[in-house]
Amino acid sequence: MLEQHVLEDIQKLQSICEQEEHIELKLNFDMLRSRKQNEVNDFFHYEDNQLVGFIGLYGFGNTVEICGMVAPSYRRKRIFSKLFSQALHICKKRGYTEILLNAPGDSVSGREFLKQIPCSFTFSEYQMKWTQKELEDDNPFVTLRSSQSDTDMKMEIQVDVECFGMSLTEAAAYYEQTKTEEQQNHFIVEYNSQAVGKLRVSYDKSEAWIYGFGILPSYQKLGIGKAALKQVVLKQLRLGYDIFLEVEAKNKRVLQLYETCGFNSYHVQDYYVYSL
């Protein structure tokens, strides 16, 4: 687990970089707060007791995401390249089969670095925020409940396999990882009392983030997803949270679902596959 002062250093550097380029970095603080002891996932460069360079690894089964930053006044000193080499060494040692590099769509410095390494664009991910809109919980056949049992574990893994293309091994590892993360709730979506989907909500101060939202393919196009989304939004509103989510742009139908429920895109993260 990263110490509190280290998390604060990362947040300070993030704020400096974001203000410089008018971007938003995706550093997954829910995962940073839940790092395992004696497992190297984060790489730091300090000068004069100030954090000026950082890279984090975020593993999901056989896939790992890499995201990082360097303070504007310390760029062009190969700090990021050195950190990236260290991160790649760990990725290869662990045998990841896919390495995804994550950069804000508007980051000039990110694009310049990506031009120098063997990688190719794969997809964009949109950050969306819920804005004021009249919502009604108008489908009595769809309900949300907390995930708890072994049966629920199988359902969550099944959704990740069928909806997000994970292998069973990847989905099981991802399930174990997310269950250890703090400040979040896991929910099962039921239709006529039958478990058909899942989602989780992660909390960061005044924000509630919806992740991993999926309905089994055999139950899609029945209005279940829209009804479940309305319910989770209404629940978080009652608790006083601002509500956010992420969605891959290649799934336009899902993007439209979120838009009809009052979510608007405000930022884009681009993903690149690193050539091993």
Side-chain angles (χ1 to χ4, degrees), residues 235-256:
K235 181 178 179 64
Q236 304 313 310
L237 285 176
R238 288 193 292 268
L239 294 172
Y241 287 102
D242 294 323
I243 307 164
F244 300 82
L245 56 79
E246 296 172 343
V247 60
E248 291 182 14
K250 62 186 179 184
N251 195 334
K252 296 294 185 182
R253 184 173 59 81
V254 174
L255 188 64
Q256 291 171 356

PDB file of all heavy atoms in Angstrom, residues 235-256:
ATOM      1  N   LYS A 235     -29.910   6.318  -6.895  1.00  0.00           N
ATOM      2  CA  LYS A 235     -29.356   5.936  -5.594  1.00  0.00           C
ATOM      3  C   LYS A 235     -28.191   6.846  -5.202  1.00  0.00           C
ATOM      4  O   LYS A 235     -28.117   7.324  -4.065  1.00  0.00           O
ATOM      5  CB  LYS A 235     -28.891   4.479  -5.640  1.00  0.00           C
ATOM      6  CG  LYS A 235     -28.323   3.954  -4.323  1.00  0.00           C
ATOM      7  CD  LYS A 235     -27.924   2.488  -4.457  1.00  0.00           C
ATOM      8  CE  LYS A 235     -27.339   1.948  -3.173  1.00  0.00           C
ATOM      9  NZ  LYS A 235     -28.300   1.922  -2.052  1.00  0.00           N
ATOM     10  N   GLN A 236     -27.285   7.106  -6.143  1.00  0.00           N
ATOM     11  CA  GLN A 236     -26.130   7.958  -5.845  1.00  0.00           C
ATOM     12  C   GLN A 236     -26.551   9.413  -5.651  1.00  0.00           C
ATOM     13  O   GLN A 236     -25.953  10.132  -4.836  1.00  0.00           O
ATOM     14  CB  GLN A 236     -25.080   7.843  -6.961  1.00  0.00           C
ATOM     15  CG  GLN A 236     -24.598   6.429  -7.241  1.00  0.00           C
ATOM     16  CD  GLN A 236     -24.246   5.650  -5.985  1.00  0.00           C
ATOM     17  OE1 GLN A 236     -23.499   6.139  -5.125  1.00  0.00           O
ATOM     18  NE2 GLN A 236     -24.778   4.438  -5.870  1.00  0.00           N
ATOM     19  N   LEU A 237     -27.566   9.855  -6.375  1.00  0.00           N
ATOM     20  CA  LEU A 237     -28.068  11.216  -6.177  1.00  0.00           C
ATOM     21  C   LEU A 237     -28.616  11.401  -4.777  1.00  0.00           C
ATOM     22  O   LEU A 237     -28.386  12.427  -4.131  1.00  0.00           O
ATOM     23  CB  LEU A 237     -29.161  11.522  -7.211  1.00  0.00           C
ATOM     24  CG  LEU A 237     -28.717  11.797  -8.643  1.00  0.00           C
ATOM     25  CD1 LEU A 237     -29.924  11.978  -9.546  1.00  0.00           C
ATOM     26  CD2 LEU A 237     -27.824  13.035  -8.695  1.00  0.00           C
ATOM     27  N   ARG A 238     -29.365  10.396  -4.287  1.00  0.00           N
ATOM     28  CA  ARG A 238     -29.908  10.480  -2.929  1.00  0.00           C
ATOM     29  C   ARG A 238     -28.799  10.554  -1.888  1.00  0.00           C
ATOM     30  O   ARG A 238     -28.969  11.153  -0.826  1.00  0.00           O
ATOM     31  CB  ARG A 238     -30.826   9.286  -2.655  1.00  0.00           C
ATOM     32  CG  ARG A 238     -32.161   9.348  -3.390  1.00  0.00           C
ATOM     33  CD  ARG A 238     -33.148   8.328  -2.848  1.00  0.00           C
ATOM     34  NE  ARG A 238     -32.732   6.971  -3.151  1.00  0.00           N
ATOM     35  CZ  ARG A 238     -33.107   6.298  -4.232  1.00  0.00           C
ATOM     36  NH1 ARG A 238     -33.895   6.884  -5.142  1.00  0.00           N
ATOM     37  NH2 ARG A 238     -32.700   5.068  -4.438  1.00  0.00           N
ATOM     38  N   LEU A 239     -27.650   9.949  -2.217  1.00  0.00           N
ATOM     39  CA  LEU A 239     -26.514   9.971  -1.297  1.00  0.00           C
ATOM     40  C   LEU A 239     -25.686  11.251  -1.443  1.00  0.00           C
ATOM     41  O   LEU A 239     -24.743  11.473  -0.677  1.00  0.00           O
ATOM     42  CB  LEU A 239     -25.626   8.749  -1.540  1.00  0.00           C
ATOM     43  CG  LEU A 239     -26.258   7.392  -1.209  1.00  0.00           C
ATOM     44  CD1 LEU A 239     -25.358   6.248  -1.675  1.00  0.00           C
ATOM     45  CD2 LEU A 239     -26.530   7.273   0.296  1.00  0.00           C
ATOM     46  N   GLY A 240     -26.021  12.074  -2.432  1.00  0.00           N
ATOM     47  CA  GLY A 240     -25.373  13.376  -2.584  1.00  0.00           C
ATOM     48  C   GLY A 240     -24.117  13.403  -3.435  1.00  0.00           C
ATOM     49  O   GLY A 240     -23.330  14.348  -3.345  1.00  0.00           O
ATOM     50  N   TYR A 241     -23.912  12.396  -4.280  1.00  0.00           N
ATOM     51  CA  TYR A 241     -22.704  12.329  -5.092  1.00  0.00           C
ATOM     52  C   TYR A 241     -22.896  12.936  -6.486  1.00  0.00           C
ATOM     53  O   TYR A 241     -23.995  12.878  -7.050  1.00  0.00           O
ATOM     54  CB  TYR A 241     -22.260  10.873  -5.268  1.00  0.00           C
ATOM     55  CG  TYR A 241     -21.665  10.259  -4.022  1.00  0.00           C
ATOM     56  CD1 TYR A 241     -22.414   9.401  -3.225  1.00  0.00           C
ATOM     57  CD2 TYR A 241     -20.345  10.534  -3.642  1.00  0.00           C
ATOM     58  CE1 TYR A 241     -21.875   8.831  -2.076  1.00  0.00           C
ATOM     59  CE2 TYR A 241     -19.807   9.967  -2.504  1.00  0.00           C
ATOM     60  CZ  TYR A 241     -20.569   9.122  -1.729  1.00  0.00           C
ATOM     61  OH  TYR A 241     -20.036   8.564  -0.582  1.00  0.00           O
ATOM     62  N   ASP A 242     -21.803  13.490  -7.033  1.00  0.00           N
ATOM     63  CA  ASP A 242     -21.725  13.768  -8.458  1.00  0.00           C
ATOM     64  C   ASP A 242     -21.396  12.437  -9.130  1.00  0.00           C
ATOM     65  O   ASP A 242     -20.570  11.670  -8.621  1.00  0.00           O
ATOM     66  CB  ASP A 242     -20.623  14.787  -8.763  1.00  0.00           C
ATOM     67  CG  ASP A 242     -20.924  16.158  -8.172  1.00  0.00           C
ATOM     68  OD1 ASP A 242     -22.111  16.546  -8.169  1.00  0.00           O
ATOM     69  OD2 ASP A 242     -19.981  16.824  -7.707  1.00  0.00           O
ATOM     70  N   ILE A 243     -21.984  12.166 -10.298  1.00  0.00           N
ATOM     71  CA  ILE A 243     -21.908  10.823 -10.873  1.00  0.00           C
ATOM     72  C   ILE A 243     -21.166  10.845 -12.207  1.00  0.00           C
ATOM     73  O   ILE A 243     -21.452  11.660 -13.091  1.00  0.00           O
ATOM     74  CB  ILE A 243     -23.317  10.239 -11.069  1.00  0.00           C
ATOM     75  CG1 ILE A 243     -24.103  10.330  -9.751  1.00  0.00           C
ATOM     76  CG2 ILE A 243     -23.249   8.782 -11.533  1.00  0.00           C
ATOM     77  CD1 ILE A 243     -25.582  10.146  -9.913  1.00  0.00           C
ATOM     78  N   PHE A 244     -20.213   9.917 -12.338  1.00  0.00           N
ATOM     79  CA  PHE A 244     -19.370   9.825 -13.523  1.00  0.00           C
ATOM     80  C   PHE A 244     -19.312   8.368 -13.989  1.00  0.00           C
ATOM     81  O   PHE A 244     -19.586   7.442 -13.220  1.00  0.00           O
ATOM     82  CB  PHE A 244     -17.946  10.300 -13.212  1.00  0.00           C
ATOM     83  CG  PHE A 244     -17.841  11.719 -12.751  1.00  0.00           C
ATOM     84  CD1 PHE A 244     -18.086  12.056 -11.425  1.00  0.00           C
ATOM     85  CD2 PHE A 244     -17.478  12.728 -13.636  1.00  0.00           C
ATOM     86  CE1 PHE A 244     -17.978  13.366 -10.983  1.00  0.00           C
ATOM     87  CE2 PHE A 244     -17.375  14.041 -13.205  1.00  0.00           C
ATOM     88  CZ  PHE A 244     -17.625  14.361 -11.886  1.00  0.00           C
ATOM     89  N   LEU A 245     -18.883   8.186 -15.231  1.00  0.00           N
ATOM     90  CA  LEU A 245     -18.624   6.841 -15.738  1.00  0.00           C
ATOM     91  C   LEU A 245     -17.681   6.926 -16.924  1.00  0.00           C
ATOM     92  O   LEU A 245     -17.365   7.998 -17.421  1.00  0.00           O
ATOM     93  CB  LEU A 245     -19.921   6.118 -16.128  1.00  0.00           C
ATOM     94  CG  LEU A 245     -20.871   6.768 -17.132  1.00  0.00           C
ATOM     95  CD1 LEU A 245     -20.391   6.584 -18.567  1.00  0.00           C
ATOM     96  CD2 LEU A 245     -22.260   6.150 -17.000  1.00  0.00           C
ATOM     97  N   GLU A 246     -17.194   5.744 -17.366  1.00  0.00           N
ATOM     98  CA  GLU A 246     -16.341   5.653 -18.534  1.00  0.00           C
ATOM     99  C   GLU A 246     -16.924   4.630 -19.505  1.00  0.00           C
ATOM    100  O   GLU A 246     -17.481   3.623 -19.082  1.00  0.00           O
ATOM    101  CB  GLU A 246     -14.934   5.209 -18.127  1.00  0.00           C
ATOM    102  CG  GLU A 246     -14.225   6.205 -17.236  1.00  0.00           C
ATOM    103  CD  GLU A 246     -12.917   5.668 -16.696  1.00  0.00           C
ATOM    104  OE1 GLU A 246     -12.703   4.436 -16.733  1.00  0.00           O
ATOM    105  OE2 GLU A 246     -12.113   6.499 -16.226  1.00  0.00           O
ATOM    106  N   VAL A 247     -16.775   4.897 -20.798  1.00  0.00           N
ATOM    107  CA  VAL A 247     -17.289   3.958 -21.799  1.00  0.00           C
ATOM    108  C   VAL A 247     -16.407   4.023 -23.039  1.00  0.00           C
ATOM    109  O   VAL A 247     -15.938   5.098 -23.432  1.00  0.00           O
ATOM    110  CB  VAL A 247     -18.759   4.284 -22.175  1.00  0.00           C
ATOM    111  CG1 VAL A 247     -18.881   5.678 -22.749  1.00  0.00           C
ATOM    112  CG2 VAL A 247     -19.314   3.254 -23.144  1.00  0.00           C
ATOM    113  N   GLU A 248     -16.145   2.858 -23.635  1.00  0.00           N
ATOM    114  CA  GLU A 248     -15.371   2.812 -24.864  1.00  0.00           C
ATOM    115  C   GLU A 248     -16.191   3.355 -26.031  1.00  0.00           C
ATOM    116  O   GLU A 248     -17.359   2.999 -26.200  1.00  0.00           O
ATOM    117  CB  GLU A 248     -14.944   1.373 -25.165  1.00  0.00           C
ATOM    118  CG  GLU A 248     -13.921   0.828 -24.185  1.00  0.00           C
ATOM    119  CD  GLU A 248     -13.493  -0.583 -24.547  1.00  0.00           C
ATOM    120  OE1 GLU A 248     -13.784  -1.016 -25.687  1.00  0.00           O
ATOM    121  OE2 GLU A 248     -12.887  -1.247 -23.696  1.00  0.00           O
ATOM    122  N   ALA A 249     -15.566   4.205 -26.838  1.00  0.00           N
ATOM    123  CA  ALA A 249     -16.274   4.854 -27.940  1.00  0.00           C
ATOM    124  C   ALA A 249     -16.677   3.868 -29.026  1.00  0.00           C
ATOM    125  O   ALA A 249     -17.594   4.130 -29.796  1.00  0.00           O
ATOM    126  CB  ALA A 249     -15.403   5.956 -28.544  1.00  0.00           C
ATOM    127  N   LYS A 250     -15.983   2.712 -29.114  1.00  0.00           N
ATOM    128  CA  LYS A 250     -16.317   1.778 -30.184  1.00  0.00           C
ATOM    129  C   LYS A 250     -17.695   1.152 -29.979  1.00  0.00           C
ATOM    130  O   LYS A 250     -18.254   0.562 -30.894  1.00  0.00           O
ATOM    131  CB  LYS A 250     -15.247   0.685 -30.285  1.00  0.00           C
ATOM    132  CG  LYS A 250     -15.075  -0.184 -29.064  1.00  0.00           C
ATOM    133  CD  LYS A 250     -13.891  -1.130 -29.237  1.00  0.00           C
ATOM    134  CE  LYS A 250     -13.677  -2.012 -28.017  1.00  0.00           C
ATOM    135  NZ  LYS A 250     -12.476  -2.869 -28.153  1.00  0.00           N
ATOM    136  N   ASN A 251     -18.233   1.289 -28.776  1.00  0.00           N
ATOM    137  CA  ASN A 251     -19.576   0.774 -28.527  1.00  0.00           C
ATOM    138  C   ASN A 251     -20.563   1.939 -28.534  1.00  0.00           C
ATOM    139  O   ASN A 251     -20.932   2.466 -27.488  1.00  0.00           O
ATOM    140  CB  ASN A 251     -19.618   0.030 -27.188  1.00  0.00           C
ATOM    141  CG  ASN A 251     -20.865  -0.820 -27.046  1.00  0.00           C
ATOM    142  OD1 ASN A 251     -21.894  -0.544 -27.654  1.00  0.00           O
ATOM    143  ND2 ASN A 251     -20.772  -1.862 -26.245  1.00  0.00           N
ATOM    144  N   LYS A 252     -20.982   2.365 -29.724  1.00  0.00           N
ATOM    145  CA  LYS A 252     -21.836   3.542 -29.864  1.00  0.00           C
ATOM    146  C   LYS A 252     -23.209   3.342 -29.215  1.00  0.00           C
ATOM    147  O   LYS A 252     -23.804   4.276 -28.694  1.00  0.00           O
ATOM    148  CB  LYS A 252     -22.015   3.879 -31.352  1.00  0.00           C
ATOM    149  CG  LYS A 252     -20.734   4.278 -32.056  1.00  0.00           C
ATOM    150  CD  LYS A 252     -20.180   5.583 -31.519  1.00  0.00           C
ATOM    151  CE  LYS A 252     -18.967   6.039 -32.317  1.00  0.00           C
ATOM    152  NZ  LYS A 252     -18.379   7.288 -31.779  1.00  0.00           N
ATOM    153  N   ARG A 253     -23.714   2.108 -29.253  1.00  0.00           N
ATOM    154  CA  ARG A 253     -25.039   1.850 -28.679  1.00  0.00           C
ATOM    155  C   ARG A 253     -25.038   2.099 -27.177  1.00  0.00           C
ATOM    156  O   ARG A 253     -25.972   2.686 -26.627  1.00  0.00           O
ATOM    157  CB  ARG A 253     -25.460   0.408 -28.979  1.00  0.00           C
ATOM    158  CG  ARG A 253     -26.878   0.069 -28.501  1.00  0.00           C
ATOM    159  CD  ARG A 253     -27.282  -1.310 -28.972  1.00  0.00           C
ATOM    160  NE  ARG A 253     -26.394  -2.349 -28.487  1.00  0.00           N
ATOM    161  CZ  ARG A 253     -26.476  -2.875 -27.264  1.00  0.00           C
ATOM    162  NH1 ARG A 253     -27.397  -2.443 -26.417  1.00  0.00           N
ATOM    163  NH2 ARG A 253     -25.642  -3.825 -26.890  1.00  0.00           N
ATOM    164  N   VAL A 254     -23.972   1.660 -26.507  1.00  0.00           N
ATOM    165  CA  VAL A 254     -23.862   1.889 -25.070  1.00  0.00           C
ATOM    166  C   VAL A 254     -23.680   3.373 -24.787  1.00  0.00           C
ATOM    167  O   VAL A 254     -24.252   3.907 -23.832  1.00  0.00           O
ATOM    168  CB  VAL A 254     -22.700   1.068 -24.472  1.00  0.00           C
ATOM    169  CG1 VAL A 254     -22.493   1.408 -23.003  1.00  0.00           C
ATOM    170  CG2 VAL A 254     -22.972  -0.422 -24.625  1.00  0.00           C
ATOM    171  N   LEU A 255     -22.902   4.052 -25.619  1.00  0.00           N
ATOM    172  CA  LEU A 255     -22.700   5.491 -25.450  1.00  0.00           C
ATOM    173  C   LEU A 255     -24.041   6.218 -25.516  1.00  0.00           C
ATOM    174  O   LEU A 255     -24.329   7.112 -24.706  1.00  0.00           O
ATOM    175  CB  LEU A 255     -21.758   6.004 -26.541  1.00  0.00           C
ATOM    176  CG  LEU A 255     -21.269   7.443 -26.422  1.00  0.00           C
ATOM    177  CD1 LEU A 255     -20.428   7.632 -25.179  1.00  0.00           C
ATOM    178  CD2 LEU A 255     -20.481   7.835 -27.663  1.00  0.00           C
ATOM    179  N   GLN A 256     -24.887   5.824 -26.452  1.00  0.00           N
ATOM    180  CA  GLN A 256     -26.206   6.448 -26.588  1.00  0.00           C
ATOM    181  C   GLN A 256     -27.095   6.146 -25.381  1.00  0.00           C
ATOM    182  O   GLN A 256     -27.880   6.995 -24.958  1.00  0.00           O
ATOM    183  CB  GLN A 256     -26.865   5.965 -27.875  1.00  0.00           C
ATOM    184  CG  GLN A 256     -26.190   6.492 -29.132  1.00  0.00           C
ATOM    185  CD  GLN A 256     -26.699   5.837 -30.397  1.00  0.00           C
ATOM    186  OE1 GLN A 256     -27.511   4.918 -30.353  1.00  0.00           O
ATOM    187  NE2 GLN A 256     -26.214   6.293 -31.546  1.00  0.00           N
TER     188      GLN A 256
END
